[in-house]
Amino acid sequence: MALDATVGGVSANSFLTNAEADALAADHPYGSAWAGYTNQDALLIGATKILVRQCFLGTASSETQRLPFPRTGLLSRNGFALDSASIPVEIKEAQFELALMLGESDISRGSDAAAEGITKLKAGPVELTFADPITQDPVPSNVKQLLVPSWLCPTATAKT
């Protein structure tokens, strides 16, 4: 599938263009790996698929746009209204971070421990504790920290 980063586009599958991803790589501490990936489009599209599973407040700017951004009714980290005709830099940075992580491993599957709901493992004497109920957020916490907290639904859980 071809990368489509048309802002508000009906077929958009990425918030970032290739040029924007390259620019973010230049400023990222681990961005040198980006140039070596031959599947950059797939990584960006995959990162978008993970990121859009989050529940965002506000409203899409257009009923025909495929992705949740651009968006109305949200404020920037500094409290100003977001431009309803563009993609916030925080979304682009989060997408790039996810794409880098996907380039290293398939984070979309989550960790085995998280998938099994293991919350505690003690070595001696052996102890194992499971979460109840088992929930797993597809967006790693370091990526979620790049987003503005007030953009996320109060439960901050992923859509299924």
Side-chain angles (χ1 to χ4, degrees), residues 65-119:
Q65 72 187 54
R66 183 172 184 200
L67 299 177
F69 284 87
R71 215 156 175 78
T72 62
L74 298 179
L75 300 177
S76 70
R77 200 174 297 275
N78 293 329
F80 296 98
L82 286 184
D83 178 5
S84 63
S86 63
I87 309 296
V89 68
E90 293 88 350
I91 292 291
K92 293 180 178 193
E93 289 172 345
Q95 180 190 358
F96 182 72
E97 191 71 33
L98 274 169
L100 271 181
M101 294 174 77
L102 285 172
E104 294 299 315
S105 66
D106 187 0
I107 62 165
S108 64
R109 295 176 189 242
S111 73
D112 291 337
E116 297 299 326
I118 298 172
T119 60

Side-chain angles (χ1 to χ4, degrees), residues 124-148:
V126 177
E127 181 178 320
L128 187 61
T129 306
F130 290 88
D132 184 33
I134 297 172
T135 58
Q136 184 176 352
D137 192 341
V139 178
S141 60
N142 64 317
V143 173
K144 195 171 272 190
Q145 290 172 358
L146 296 171
L147 301 174
V148 177

